[in-house]
Amino acid sequence: MASFIIEGGHLLKGTITPQGAKNEALQVICATLLTDEEVIIRNIPDIRDVNNLIQLLRDVGVKVTRLSTNDYAFQADELKLDYLESDEFVRNCAELRGSVMMIGPLLARMGKAIITKPGGDKIGRRRLDTHFLGFQKLGAKFNHVEGRNVYEIAAKKLKGTYMLLDEASVTGTANIIMAAVFAKGTTTIYNAACEPYLQQLCKLLNRMGAKITGIASNLLTIEGVQKLHGADHKLLPDMIEVGSFIGMAAMCGDGILIKDVSINDLGIIPDTFRRLGVKIKVEGDDLFIPRQKHYEIQSFIDGTIMTLADAPWPGLTPDLLSVLIVVATQARGSVLFHQKMFESRLFFVDKLIDMGAQIILCDPHRAVVVGHDRKITLRGGRMSSPDIRAGIALLIAAMGAKGTSRIDNIEQIDRGYEHIEARLNALGASIKRV
């Protein structure tokens, strides 16, 4: 187990470029299973979750060629069907949440798939009902194998149909889309997720020969095809990393330029930081965050306390609430954060309270932050990263704190952020991996 030792109080200054989008990478890498031709994916981040998924594809027989540091070629022309049903494959899937998005492609192309409950962040219940209900609508049958604690999903031939998803699940929508591209007839998905990464998946599939319309809306129509071919695809920059860098720049920056952020795909992320009083300048496709000596939380028009809540796209992504909470600790004013989607994601705030933050945890879903207006500096301490996003939030807090901090279990941070200490040290941070 590795840890970060962080010496707080250093101002960050300079230019940083976000990595390729983690969540998009997990989707489009699984989509390469849908064809026996070569698919090239560019701008893949060098992070633990993505690397583990690439290795899992290698294990099942996909030919993976690393073309450059962040560009890969995938060719799934000789899949190992026996391995796909093995206990070793099931164990490896259980350790990686992204593996759940292999089900749709395998079901579509091979007619069957085996899945166990996948791993990932410890942030509460993350159910797979939407995935299974969608597969069932397409004609698949599944049963729970008690002895192995796995689900077997099979269908001789998937058939297009209309479905109204019970929730706008991103991974559920992606999985159902990938299953439906080979279904006979037309599939209509209503209440579909429509995040930019989902849009990117649909665009890739269309370049591979799929027929998907309604992209960027919550109503998708998929006309089944017989075969998909190869394609070339580049990932968007990671919006969560962009948001994390905005938070770092607000807390402990002395002028930071975030390059090539794909402004049009950030949604309301910049405006949400502006609601906390953070000044952000748009320069072409870059963001410049000047030094924030003070920033003041806005109130609603009627004067009531600001409330920030997560919501499906184009609402605020839940992955940035942890960072926003840390930024709010040094703002002027108070704000209520409402985390609606996960019941354990706010429990990391006890670490911030130990560091001197004024936070009232109302219940598992709501927390009130009373900002210090930089009059009280957070103090360093020892903590552990419970998940990717809380981990980066604690790292930001430690960089802005007085004294030295230690963050254990940083493998969680490595799952989502590429070479983060080297990139931040280049800006002036003092982070040591031990």
Side-chain angles (χ1 to χ4, degrees):
M1 182 180 290
S3 303
F4 280 149
I5 306 296
I6 306 103
E7 185 180 288
H10 294 271
L11 289 176
L12 278 55
K13 187 178 182 68
T15 300
I16 194 164
T17 302
Q19 67 190 27
K22 167 186 179 271
N23 290 337
E24 180 187 348
L26 297 175
Q27 294 176 26
V28 299
I29 288 172
C30 290
T32 65
L33 293 166
L34 288 164
T35 179
D36 58 5
E37 296 185 20
E38 184 179 76
V39 179
I40 295 174
I41 303 177
R42 305 184 188 277
N43 200 30
I44 292 178
D46 183 13
I47 55 177
R48 183 180 293 263
D49 272 11
V50 171
N51 293 338
N52 287 345
L53 180 61
I54 291 173
Q55 184 56 50
L56 191 57
L57 262 65
R58 284 193 179 102
D59 293 341
V60 303
V62 178
K63 297 167 185 169
V64 181
T65 305
R66 194 171 191 175
L67 306 176
S68 64
T69 303
N70 299 103
D71 301 342
Y72 287 77
F74 301 85
Q75 188 163 4
D77 57 346
E78 294 181 346
L79 295 180
K80 302 174 183 176
L81 300 184
D82 290 342
Y83 183 79
L84 287 168
E85 299 183 12
S86 69
D87 290 337
E88 181 182 346
F89 175 69
V90 169
R91 282 196 304 272
N92 290 338
C93 287
E95 296 175 0
L96 175 66
R97 182 160 186 84
S99 66
V100 73
M101 281 177 289
M102 295 174 65
I103 310 174
L106 290 173
L107 181 61
R109 188 171 167 200
M110 302 299 168
K112 61 181 178 179
I114 291 180
I115 191 68
T116 187
K117 184 178 180 181
D121 290 326
K122 305 300 185 237
I123 53 176
R125 187 171 60 98
R126 301 176 76 176
R127 62 188 181 87
L128 299 178
D129 299 56
T130 304
H131 303 244
F132 290 141
L133 291 171
F135 297 145
Q136 283 183 310
K137 287 276 189 179
L138 293 170
K141 291 181 169 53
F142 72 95
N143 67 292
H144 183 235
V145 183
E146 292 289 346
R148 300 178 66 194
N149 194 28
V150 299
Y151 291 96
E152 293 179 343
I153 309 170
K156 290 183 179 179
K157 182 62 180 177
L158 297 174
K159 295 179 181 179
T161 186
Y162 169 86
M163 65 181 78
L164 173 61
L165 301 188
D166 63 328
E167 65 173 357
S169 163
V170 177
T171 56
T173 302
N175 233 341
I176 295 166
I177 290 170
M178 289 188 281
V181 291
F182 290 156
K184 184 178 180 180
T186 300
T187 300
T188 303
I189 307 174
Y190 195 28
N191 194 30
C194 54
E195 272 80 353
Y197 307 145
L198 215 293
Q199 298 172 34
Q200 286 283 96
L201 172 66
C202 292
K203 291 173 183 176
L204 168 61
L205 292 173
N206 279 350
R207 285 199 297 276
M208 293 169 67
K211 296 180 179 179
I212 305 171
T213 57
I215 298 172
S217 78
N218 68 346
L219 181 61
L220 295 174
T221 302
I222 305 158
E223 186 180 335
V225 298
Q226 294 291 320
K227 185 177 174 63
L228 295 183
H229 52 73
D232 196 311
H233 179 78
K234 183 178 180 181
L235 302 182
L236 288 174
D238 195 308
M239 71 168 80
I240 311 304
E241 196 172 67
V242 172
S244 301
F245 293 155
I246 295 173
M248 290 177 189
M251 282 283 288
C252 47
D254 190 24
I256 292 179
L257 182 69
I258 309 173
K259 292 283 292 181
D260 303 325
V261 300
S262 190
I263 294 282
N264 293 334
D265 294 302
L266 292 180
I268 65 171
I269 290 173
D271 282 341
T272 303
F273 280 96
R274 290 186 179 107
R275 284 187 155 193
L276 295 183
V278 178
K279 296 177 180 64
I280 302 173
K281 298 179 181 178
V282 178
E283 300 178 355
D285 203 33
D286 307 334
L287 296 177
F288 179 72
I289 295 85
R291 185 171 181 179
Q292 317 277 324
K293 291 185 177 180
H294 295 278
Y295 48 98
E296 185 170 355
I297 299 168
Q298 298 176 4
S299 59
F300 287 119
I301 292 173
D302 63 359
T304 54
I305 185 172
M306 175 63 61
T307 299
L308 296 178
D310 59 337
W313 184 270
L316 177 63
T317 170
D319 285 345
L320 276 177
L321 281 186
S322 302
V323 172
L324 288 161
I325 287 171
V326 170
V327 173
T329 65
Q330 293 304 310
R332 178 186 296 147
S334 301
V335 56
L336 169 65
F337 288 95
H338 193 170
Q339 164 63 271
K340 298 178 180 178
M341 296 176 66
F342 304 108
E343 61 264 22
S344 303
R345 217 168 199 174
L346 292 183
F347 289 161
F348 85 103
V349 302
D350 63 339
K351 315 289 195 308
L352 298 178
I353 294 170
D354 289 343
M355 297 176 76
Q358 294 184 315
I359 302 175
I360 303 165
L361 185 60
C362 308
D363 56 44
H365 293 276
R366 295 177 301 162
V368 175
V369 180
V370 180
H372 290 161
D373 192 20
R374 297 197 185 276
K375 293 175 181 176
I376 304 174
T377 304
L378 297 178
R379 55 182 176 268
R382 182 163 185 170
M383 57 207 92
S384 181
S385 173
D387 63 76
I388 302 175
R389 308 309 175 186
I392 201 70
L394 292 173
L395 180 59
I396 295 171
M399 288 192 295
K402 184 178 181 180
T404 300
S405 299
R406 180 186 179 110
I407 302 177
D408 298 324
N409 195 30
I410 61 170
E411 287 81 4
Q412 286 285 355
I413 301 175
D414 290 337
R415 289 177 49 218
Y417 293 85
E418 179 178 300
H419 312 307
I420 190 64
E421 75 273 25
R423 296 160 73 199
L424 297 182
N425 285 341
L427 297 177
S430 177
I431 306 170
K432 184 185 298 183
R433 181 183 292 258
V434 295

